[in-house]
Amino acid sequence: MAHFSDKHSRKNMLMLSIVFMVILTFTIGVMPTFETIGYLAPILLPCIRIMQGISIGGELRGAWVFMGEHSIKDSLFTSTDILTAAVAGSIVSLIIHKNYETSIIAQWAWRIPFIIGGIFGIISIYLRKFLSQTPVLAIQKKK
């Protein structure tokens, strides 16, 4: 994704990666159980998680570059904001995990973060429509 964002548009690649993340995240949240689709469930889940990992790989690096190019003066702090948000999400998940019984999490509660993530992803797609192209890429295209 980094190659294509350098060549075409960081905004478009960020949009593509978030669309993939939303689809994959929501799919995990509503995926049928083993009782419904049998051995296809434990095969599908790791495949979807791998695709999700590939998608976040394009998203995270792209977001760092995008934010860094938009705020050249404060790029160090802007880039660390992205990591801070990721760590904050992990802390929230740990707090939620402590408040549920393990049996409830195993049955159905593990789906909640994926469904909520899909909903927030749709909001992110809407907000990303209003992003402007980075100034650095605009200068490169003129050359």
Side-chain angles (χ1 to χ4, degrees), residues 24-114:
L24 295 167
T25 300
F26 196 74
T27 301
I28 290 171
V30 298
M31 194 173 85
T33 61
F34 180 82
E35 290 77 23
T36 309
I37 61 172
Y39 286 102
L40 191 57
I43 293 170
L44 278 177
L45 185 59
C47 292
I48 293 171
R49 291 291 287 167
I50 288 168
M51 290 187 294
Q52 197 179 34
I54 292 168
S55 183
I56 195 65
E59 171 73 15
L60 193 55
R61 274 101 184 135
W64 278 335
V65 171
F66 189 85
M67 300 236 349
E69 288 180 352
H70 265 292
S71 59
I72 293 172
K73 291 181 184 175
D74 300 325
S75 61
L76 173 66
F77 295 111
T78 320
S79 297
T80 57
D81 289 346
I82 297 168
L83 274 179
T84 303
V87 171
S90 296
I91 291 170
V92 169
S93 71
L94 285 171
I95 292 168
I96 291 171
H97 185 271
K98 287 291 185 185
N99 291 323
Y100 278 102
E101 292 181 26
T102 307
S103 62
I104 293 173
I105 292 173
Q107 291 172 8
W108 60 269
W110 66 269
R111 295 175 182 270
I112 294 170
F114 291 99

Side-chain angles (χ1 to χ4, degrees), residues 124-141:
S124 297
I125 290 170
Y126 173 75
L127 293 175
R128 283 197 183 172
K129 286 173 45 177
F130 302 106
L131 289 177
S132 61
Q133 195 54 263
T134 63
V136 173
L137 193 62
I139 292 169
Q140 287 177 349
K141 288 214 176 220

